[in-house]
């Protein structure tokens, strides 16, 4: 029986994780669940899975959750705040941690899981984008097992059997690899006239053609910042420099990524676009379990298309490559500015094409320090957020 903590249980990844867990009651038990503010949904999950602990973002949310659980007769211990998140991620009772909190808020508990030597199912990009070397060092020093959940990185992992079931440190670049090919759907605006993108609404940006995701990640997909963050993540996971990572537009989202080898071979992982597949792969690794996802029927798909990304259409992707090449805290600045800009867009304070302008101004203006400690990274994160807010206020004025 594998005991699991799910960080970000009410988000799309968390819900999919619990769906897979529920299909295998003899293999998995839920130790703890967390959510920031979606108290009613978390309460329903606690009623179903009966975790020992549940964590929310604020004291007020904790009071509401505790009241709902008392009324339901559920004895789950309710806690709140970052320290509680780190505790449920590193508790000795826990075997595996699904790290699915979106954004920089997921950094501290994911790092706590790494330092505690847990099996980490990594869906939080920011842990690697913000603090790549620090996070990977923690994984290797503790002996933690790191398994990627993003469909692209999970596909790459499955296409690199030479790693023997462990994600390497960046210094252990895979022998024989010519290039990592990250596929991208292109999002909802792949063919839309670039001149009309200023008029995009939050509702349109959140309507992804293939995947069901949260609002922030949906906007990141529309700008292709999501893919840019995945490029940085791939660098740290697989030891590939920026010039060895290529993004390929693949609108059908059937090939989730590929690895090209020096002998001319290309290994790919295919499947229907459903996050339960990589989740089930990581939960059971190195075994295979049913995920609830329908089998892929290539005869029904018939055609697979590929094209190069247009950096004029997707400037955020170019910004991410630039940040990776710059190194240091540049990726942390990029991530923080993006989080603030995307929220401003969702709040209708700025336009869609102003997202990349805010990010560019922040990254170009602030100095890139060395990412030598978590405190240094968090200081740069805070500075970038303040600079982004100032930029947005200027645009609004």
């Amino acid at each position: 029986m594998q005991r699991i903590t799910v960080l970000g249980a009410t988000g799309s990844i968390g819900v999919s994780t619990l769906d897979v867990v529920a299909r295998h009651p003899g293999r998995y038990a839920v130790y703890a669940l967390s959510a920031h503010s979606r108290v009613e949904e978390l309460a329903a999950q606690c009623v179903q899975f009966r975790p020992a602990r549940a964590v929310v973002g604020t004291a007020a949310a904790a009071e509401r959750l505790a009241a709902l659980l008392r009324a339901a007769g559920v004895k789950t211990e309710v806690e709140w705040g970052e320290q509680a998140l780190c505790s449920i991620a590193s508790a000795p009772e826990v075997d595996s941690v699904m790290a699915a909190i979106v954004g920089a808020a997921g950094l501290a508990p994911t790092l706590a899981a790494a330092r505690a030597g847990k099996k980490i199912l990594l869906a939080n990009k920011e842990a690697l984008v913000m603090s790549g070397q620090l996070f990977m060092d923690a994984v290797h020093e503790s002996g933690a097992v790191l398994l990627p959940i993003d469909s692209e990185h999970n596909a790459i992992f499955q296409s690199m059997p030479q790693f023997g079931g462990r994600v390497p440190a960046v210094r252990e670049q895979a022998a024989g690899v010519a290039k990592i090919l990250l596929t991208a759907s292109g999002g909802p605006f792949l063919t839309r006239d670039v001149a009309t993108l200023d008029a995009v609404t939050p509702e349109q940006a959140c309507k992804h053609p293939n995947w069901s995701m949260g609002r922030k990640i949906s906007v990141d997909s529309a700008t292709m910042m999501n893919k840019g963050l995945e490029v940085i993540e791939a660098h740290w996971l697989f030891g590939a420099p920026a010039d060895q990572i290529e993004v390929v537009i693949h609108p059908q989202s059937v090939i989730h990524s590929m690895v090209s080898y020096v002998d001319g071979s290309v290994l790919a992982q295919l499947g229907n676009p459903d996050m339960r597949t990589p989740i089930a792969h990581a939960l059971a690794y190195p075994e295979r379990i049913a995920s609830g996802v329908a089998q892929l029927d290539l005869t029904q798909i018939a055609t697979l298309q590929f094209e190069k990304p247009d950096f004029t259409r997707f400037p955020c992707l170019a910004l991410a490559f630039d940040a990776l090449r710059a190194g240091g805290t540049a990726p942390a600045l990029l991530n923080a500015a993006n989080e603030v800009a995307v929220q401003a867009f969702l709040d209708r304070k700025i336009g869609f094409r102003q997202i990349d302008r805010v990010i560019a101004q922040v990254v170009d203006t602030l100095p890139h320090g060395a990412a030598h400690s978590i405190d240094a990274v968090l200081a740069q994160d805070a500075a970038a957020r303040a600079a982004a807010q100032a930029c947005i206020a200027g645009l609004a004025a």
Side-chain angles (χ1 to χ4, degrees):
M1 182 69 72
Q2 190 177 146
R3 292 177 65 79
I4 301 169
T5 286
V6 182
L7 302 173
T10 59
S12 60
I13 297 294
V15 169
S16 293
T17 300
L18 293 174
D19 180 273
V20 175
V21 165
R23 295 171 188 274
H24 303 277
R27 294 186 65 129
Y28 307 106
V30 176
Y31 171 74
L33 299 172
S34 86
H36 182 65
S37 58
R38 293 159 75 171
V39 172
E40 288 75 16
E41 293 170 50
L42 184 60
Q45 291 175 338
C46 289
V47 170
Q48 179 179 358
F49 293 97
R50 304 291 168 131
R53 302 165 69 183
V55 176
V56 289
T58 65
E63 289 180 8
R64 294 203 310 275
L65 178 61
L68 289 171
L69 296 183
R70 280 196 302 271
V74 176
K75 297 181 178 180
T76 297
E77 180 183 355
V78 177
E79 305 163 68
W80 67 276
E82 184 178 277
Q83 186 174 348
L85 285 174
C86 292
S87 177
I88 64 171
S90 59
E93 297 91 339
V94 175
D95 301 304
S96 301
V97 176
M98 169 57 77
I101 295 175
V102 175
L107 175 59
T110 306
L111 189 58
R115 289 171 172 162
K118 302 302 181 184
K119 176 182 175 181
I120 303 168
L121 314 182
L122 186 65
N124 172 275
K125 296 178 177 65
E126 290 75 15
L128 284 172
V129 171
M130 294 177 65
S131 61
Q133 190 64 66
L134 294 169
F135 183 80
M136 294 304 292
D137 286 347
V139 167
H140 289 278
E141 287 167 8
S142 69
V145 175
L146 181 60
L147 296 167
I149 295 299
D150 267 345
S151 60
E152 296 82 1
H153 302 101
N154 184 267
I156 294 164
F157 181 71
Q158 293 193 55
S159 301
M160 285 186 169
Q162 68 270 42
F163 283 151
R166 293 183 70 85
V167 166
V170 68
R171 57 187 171 272
E172 301 176 69
Q173 185 172 336
V177 172
K179 189 166 288 189
I180 287 174
L181 303 168
L182 278 173
T183 57
S185 69
F189 308 133
L190 178 61
T191 59
R192 179 166 170 157
D193 184 354
V194 173
T196 70
L197 291 177
D198 284 322
V200 163
T201 66
E203 292 75 20
Q204 291 169 330
C206 290
K207 192 174 182 180
H208 195 278
N210 299 336
W211 296 93
S212 175
M213 304 180 292
R215 282 163 60 81
K216 191 268 182 183
I217 297 176
S218 294
V219 175
D220 281 350
S221 179
T223 65
M224 280 194 73
M225 178 57 84
N226 192 49
K227 200 57 50 181
L229 299 179
E230 288 172 5
V231 168
I232 299 171
E233 192 178 2
H235 161 72
W236 291 110
L237 285 172
F238 306 113
D243 294 339
Q244 202 180 13
I245 303 170
E246 182 178 329
V247 174
V248 179
I249 301 291
H250 169 49
Q252 290 78 23
S253 297
V254 169
I255 297 178
H256 298 299
S257 276
M258 299 169 275
V259 179
S260 177
Y261 289 90
V262 294
D263 63 2
S265 301
V266 178
L267 299 187
Q269 186 266 339
L270 287 71
N272 284 316
D274 191 315
M275 287 305 299
R276 291 177 297 174
T277 295
I279 290 167
H281 172 263
L283 276 172
Y285 188 83
E287 300 176 41
R288 300 275 181 171
I289 59 172
S291 65
V293 179
Q295 293 294 308
L296 178 65
D297 186 347
L298 288 172
T299 62
Q300 291 296 315
I301 297 166
T303 300
L304 299 176
Q305 298 168 302
F306 306 93
E307 61 184 88
K308 291 184 177 181
D310 177 0
F311 289 106
T312 302
R313 180 181 295 276
F314 300 115
C316 284
L317 182 58
L319 291 172
F321 269 105
D322 290 343
L324 175 56
R325 292 187 176 100
T329 57
L333 298 176
L334 174 95
N335 177 74
N338 178 66
E339 286 190 16
V340 172
V342 169
Q343 189 59 54
F345 167 69
L346 289 171
D347 293 340
R348 303 179 193 276
K349 294 179 181 178
I350 62 173
F352 182 75
R353 289 311 296 261
Q354 290 178 312
I355 294 174
D356 60 270
R357 296 169 203 164
V358 171
I359 299 166
Q361 181 168 325
V362 170
V363 175
D364 290 344
T365 302
L366 295 182
H368 305 167
H372 53 75
S373 70
I374 291 298
D375 287 343
V377 170
L378 293 177
Q380 288 286 79
D381 176 86
R385 290 175 189 276
Q389 292 287 10
C391 180
I392 290 164
L395 290 171

